[in-house]
Amino acid sequence: MPEEVNPFKIAQSQVDTVAEMLGLDAGLTEFLKNPQRELHVSFPVKMDDGTLKVFKGYRVQHNMARGPTKGGIRFHWDTDIDEVRALSMWMTWKCAVVGIPYGGAKGGVTCNPKEMSQNELEKLTRRFASEISIIMGPDTDIPAPDVYTNPQTMAWIMDTYSMNHGYTVPSVITGKPIPIGGSLGRNEATARGTVITIREACKKIGLELKGATVAVQGYGNAGSIAAYLIHDMGAKVVAVSDSQGGVLNWDGIDPHEAIKFKAETGTVVGFAGTETITNAELLELEVDILIPAALENVITSENAPNIKAKISGEAANGPNTPEADRIMHENGVMVIPDILANAGGVTVSYFEWVQGLNRLFWSEEEVNNRLEKIMVESFENVYAISQEKDINMRQAAYILAMGRVVEAIQLRGFYP
Ligand code: GLU
């Protein structure tokens, strides 16, 4: 049988595996395997050339037992309902792992933002925000950035929602620009959380972070910032990549310079002093630390046996298939699972929401200190379960997360 790569089926199989470990009954397992609410929209946008184009979009709320639902909005040509369903489930577990009072949701629009003008993107964003505003709100469902969306996108969504309500509602969304209620530290938070968990993992396996070699797959918000944060902590970033390919220099790459280069040219490929490699080659490099920071299913049963890194810190959501997990665990690679490794983003989103609701402004130092504490504690909790039960870190994170969600469901009881 070919390996399963449908992200929703993978997310459901992860629940099945852990439900069995937790001894959950069939009904509860079925409830956790399916989103509580899905909104499918199809909407027109007048393009710059005058033509009318129809886009498909989704907002999926997986589970709301622990609080209002939370999760990003992705603009991508391959986005479909099953991807958004999977991502919404992963948000439920992610929020539970770090103990913030949210359920999970996700949104997506199938579009190619690289081929659209700013004007077209603004119109698409505003119309999509209007379409999903029937299920979003500061007390119900709070979106945030994800792949190919950014603080500007969030500003348009906040403005659209506010215009439709007649007053400014900053807490309807997080990841906003700082001048309109964004939180200091939010832009770096996903990457900061990832490198904190990698630093903790290094201590556990006796790897010196200073001088450790690192390869980063994906050079968007998460990947590029993770690269410079880990570089600034003394590690040696030797390879980075984006959708157009990768670059390698065993003497080290300056990630700050690589960010400037990508901003000018649109890619890291061609960066001075590097040799060009493929994304596939990057993943299999003889490095200490791998940071997948792009999309789902990049590590499968095919390439997992060739991964040489000692630690994989998942800044991306769903980079490993379950079969890849099994192989890497067998080979002694410590995979820090997405729902823990990239939870820094939603954690600081939570701080942004709390500040917004209370009209507060925290310093960057305060935000980073709070993030540090939550990430270290969550890492320790997951690591302890993995040691105690002799299971991999993903299964341990799921045991913690699903356990918390089930506890909330049982305390609330079943309505009616
Ligand atoms: N899109 C990010 C994630 O996958 C952030 C979600 C949020 O901040 O709500 O975790």
Side-chain angles (χ1 to χ4, degrees):
M1 204 170 72
E3 189 177 11
E4 182 60 67
V5 288
N6 176 310
F8 183 45
K9 294 234 169 78
I10 289 177
Q12 289 189 313
S13 76
Q14 290 165 333
V15 173
D16 276 329
T17 306
V18 178
E20 211 179 293
M21 292 181 182
L22 288 172
L24 296 189
D25 70 52
L28 201 47
T29 307
E30 189 63 18
F31 181 49
L32 295 176
K33 280 170 70 178
N34 291 287
Q36 283 188 243
R37 243 178 234 165
E38 290 183 357
L39 181 64
H40 296 230
V41 298
S42 176
F43 60 95
V45 176
K46 196 65 131 334
M47 306 301 276
D48 290 348
D49 65 4
T51 58
L52 203 61
K53 220 175 145 182
V54 177
F55 293 88
K56 286 202 164 25
Y58 314 94
R59 184 73 187 171
V60 177
Q61 300 171 346
H62 170 251
N63 187 282
M64 47 198 82
R66 300 184 72 257
T69 51
K70 186 86 191 79
I73 291 174
R74 166 177 300 202
F75 290 170
H76 197 276
W77 47 97
D78 284 334
T79 288
D80 61 20
I81 183 62
D82 276 350
E83 183 189 53
V84 179
R85 284 172 175 148
L87 290 162
S88 75
M89 288 175 77
W90 292 332
M91 285 309 305
T92 300
W93 315 135
K94 194 183 298 186
C95 294
V97 166
V98 289
I100 55 177
Y102 288 135
K106 203 79 175 197
V109 177
T110 315
C111 65
N112 188 345
K114 293 187 182 190
E115 287 173 357
M116 294 172 70
S117 69
Q118 276 295 99
N119 178 50
E120 290 168 340
L121 275 174
E122 177 173 352
K123 286 199 212 164
L124 174 131
T125 303
R126 286 185 180 278
R127 179 62 189 248
F128 180 62
S130 251
E131 296 283 345
I132 66 166
S133 67
I134 53 169
I135 59 165
M136 94 174 155
D139 297 320
T140 51
D141 181 12
I142 306 111
D146 196 74
V147 173
Y148 291 125
T149 57
N150 56 36
Q152 178 61 72
T153 325
M154 302 304 112
W156 291 328
I157 296 176
M158 189 274 254
D159 185 70
T160 303
Y161 186 90
S162 298
M163 287 299 114
N164 289 338
H165 282 75
Y167 57 94
T168 298
V169 189
S171 303
V172 68
I173 199 146
T174 60
K176 297 180 292 295
I178 306 296
I180 55 168
S183 176
L184 294 168
R186 173 62 186 86
N187 203 43
E188 299 77 22
T190 305
R192 189 176 295 282
T194 306
V195 302
I196 290 171
T197 60
I198 292 173
R199 186 195 68 206
E200 296 305 302
C202 284
K203 292 182 199 161
K204 300 293 183 202
I205 68 162
L207 175 70
E208 183 74 53
L209 183 57
K210 217 166 165 41
T213 50
V214 184
V216 182
Q217 191 242 352
Y219 220 60
N221 175 270
S224 66
I225 299 176
Y228 82 66
L229 289 174
I230 207 161
H231 163 90
D232 295 354
M233 285 162 78
K236 196 201 302 183
V237 177
V238 297
V240 301
S241 70
D242 57 33
S243 59
Q244 298 186 43
V247 290
L248 169 69
N249 180 351
W250 286 108
D251 293 329
I253 288 169
D254 181 341
H256 298 279
E257 292 302 320
I259 290 176
K260 283 188 212 153
F261 182 82
K262 185 173 161 83
E264 279 158 25
T265 64
T267 176
V268 292
V269 178
F271 183 58
T274 61
E275 97 187 58
T276 304
I277 55 171
T278 64
N279 267 284
E281 286 166 340
L282 178 139
L283 295 169
E284 299 180 11
L285 289 174
E286 188 113 28
V287 290
D288 298 313
I289 298 164
L290 180 65
I291 305 182
L295 296 165
E296 301 93 62
N297 295 332
V298 294
I299 307 180
T300 64
S301 58
E302 302 250 302
N303 57 352
N306 308 330
I307 304 284
K308 296 166 196 84
K310 302 180 181 82
I311 294 172
S312 176
E314 297 183 340
N317 290 310
N320 271 18
T321 62
E323 193 54 16
D325 270 352
R326 196 187 56 73
I327 295 166
M328 285 169 79
H329 184 62
E330 237 172 60
N331 291 347
V333 185
M334 187 188 219
V335 175
I336 313 168
D338 47 8
I339 58 169
L340 170 65
N342 71 37
V346 73
T347 300
V348 176
S349 274
Y350 165 64
F351 298 160
E352 179 175 331
W353 183 70
V354 166
Q355 290 171 82
L357 290 173
N358 294 288
R359 274 54 171 162
L360 292 171
F361 292 94
W362 295 348
S363 68
E364 189 161 357
E365 198 191 353
E366 170 146 25
V367 169
N368 288 346
N369 287 344
R370 285 176 185 265
L371 174 63
E372 163 83 24
K373 190 167 174 284
I374 289 183
M375 293 308 301
V376 171
E377 264 175 31
S378 307
F379 180 91
E380 283 300 333
N381 290 339
V382 171
Y383 184 75
I385 296 171
S386 82
Q387 293 299 103
E388 187 195 303
K389 300 201 181 299
D390 194 22
I391 52 179
N392 69 36
M393 289 283 283
R394 190 176 327 270
Q395 289 168 341
Y398 268 75
I399 290 204
L400 179 64
M402 279 176 51
R404 285 177 174 170
V405 174
V406 167
E407 187 184 20
I409 292 171
Q410 281 167 343
L411 281 168
R412 290 177 61 160
F414 295 94
Y415 177 86

